[in-house]
Amino acid sequence: MPLHRVTRPGLLALGALALVPTSASAIGISAAPKCVKPGALTTVTMEYSPVGPSQQTRQLGRTIMVPNVYKATGKGGGLKERYAVTSPFAPITYAPSTRLPGTLDPRFTQQVQLPSATTYDKLPVLSYSTRVEAYDASGTTFYGFDGRTIDIEVDVPRVLPSGTRVRRGGSLNVLAVGYGAGRKGYTHVVGPQNKRLRRVEVPSSRAGSCGRRLVSVSFRGAKPATYRLVLNTSRTSRSAKGGASAKVKVTR
């Protein structure tokens, strides 16, 4: 399914379209699956409030995904709007409402493909802030996206320290991604002789997510040298196979 990038001028142009009030407002957005590998497919669904038969103003919708990257601050952030990806138009359907007899339930469903990119501006992408924009049948009258967004997480194991250097005896915040979704993960501090300094447990995350936890890792006892941070699901293995690793230099 073809996708195309929307440049910043293109996004600004959307704001110039006429905003027309409508009685249908978004009541929920969902995605399945929510943890998706780069380049893979997921399905986005938007539910709207019931409307009368004569109020079928929203006819077309499209999904827009904005990458959310990780900055070396110990947390995710920095939405890159200029890298937003938009899908083609897809129809909004109307079915008899089971909640309010005599009305219709607008519903939008679209299968979308995540970009294959794993970084933007050399920063690792963690998720896509996803929204649906509604239009009339011609695709020219824009009804907005009602402020509803959902994060679609990128299924790539990562261990992301808040810095690449740490003073001897200090500590770093480390974002562990890809493990902990319904099970424990571990971040191992491994020295230059492949000796483990310590192991930090990554608590389990909510089911269905890719697993994303911020943990504090102490370098107490480390000598000045380059250490590896290894993320995996083993209490004893220091291998990054199937997991992730990063280097941190311990200074005096």
Side-chain angles (χ1 to χ4, degrees), residues 44 61-65 85-88 108 110 112 130-132:
V44 176
R62 61 183 184 182
T63 302
I64 293 181
M65 297 180 292
V85 175
T86 183
S87 299
F108 171 83
Q110 185 171 42
V112 296
T130 304
R131 63 181 184 253
V132 172

Side-chain angles (χ1 to χ4, degrees), residues 64-79:
I64 293 181
M65 297 180 292
V66 182
N68 180 20
V69 300
Y70 175 85
K71 292 185 177 181
T73 56
K75 61 182 180 179
L79 291 180

Side-chain angles (χ1 to χ4, degrees), residues 67-71 75-80 119-120 123-127:
N68 180 20
V69 300
Y70 175 85
K71 292 185 177 181
K75 61 182 180 179
L79 291 180
K80 298 292 181 178
T119 62
Y120 292 91
L123 298 173
V125 60
L126 300 179
S127 63

Side-chain angles (χ1 to χ4, degrees), residues 20-203:
V20 178
T22 178
S23 58
S25 59
I27 58 176
I29 182 173
S30 60
K34 286 182 62 178
C35 177
V36 185
K37 293 187 179 299
L41 297 172
T42 187
T43 300
V44 176
T45 301
M46 176 70 83
E47 303 280 355
Y48 295 96
S49 60
V51 297
S54 64
Q55 296 173 303
Q56 299 179 42
T57 52
R58 298 168 186 255
Q59 291 294 320
L60 295 175
R62 61 183 184 182
T63 302
I64 293 181
M65 297 180 292
V66 182
N68 180 20
V69 300
Y70 175 85
K71 292 185 177 181
T73 56
K75 61 182 180 179
L79 291 180
K80 298 292 181 178
E81 192 80 17
R82 68 179 176 276
Y83 291 121
V85 175
T86 183
S87 299
F89 282 120
I92 295 174
T93 61
Y94 288 82
S97 175
T98 58
R99 294 168 290 174
L100 294 174
T103 65
L104 302 168
D105 283 332
R107 179 186 175 97
F108 171 83
T109 301
Q110 185 171 42
Q111 191 175 61
V112 296
Q113 183 178 19
L114 261 65
S116 58
T118 56
T119 62
Y120 292 91
D121 288 345
K122 298 182 179 180
L123 298 173
V125 60
L126 300 179
S127 63
Y128 287 87
S129 181
T130 304
R131 63 181 184 253
V132 172
E133 297 183 334
Y135 292 78
D136 66 355
S138 67
T140 56
T141 300
F142 174 48
Y143 294 105
F145 67 96
D146 301 298
R148 300 279 179 167
T149 61
I150 189 171
D151 272 356
I152 298 175
E153 298 178 33
V154 179
D155 188 8
V156 176
R158 298 186 188 277
V159 56
L160 302 168
S162 57
T164 58
R165 301 167 72 90
V166 61
R167 287 186 179 275
R168 187 174 182 175
S171 61
L172 287 176
N173 286 328
V174 176
L175 186 66
V177 180
Y179 289 109
R183 57 179 178 169
K184 294 178 182 179
Y186 299 92
T187 298
H188 307 268
V189 182
V190 183
Q193 303 302 320
N194 203 34
K195 293 182 64 176
R196 182 173 52 242
L197 176 67
R198 65 177 38 84
R199 176 185 62 234
V200 179
E201 182 180 302
V202 180

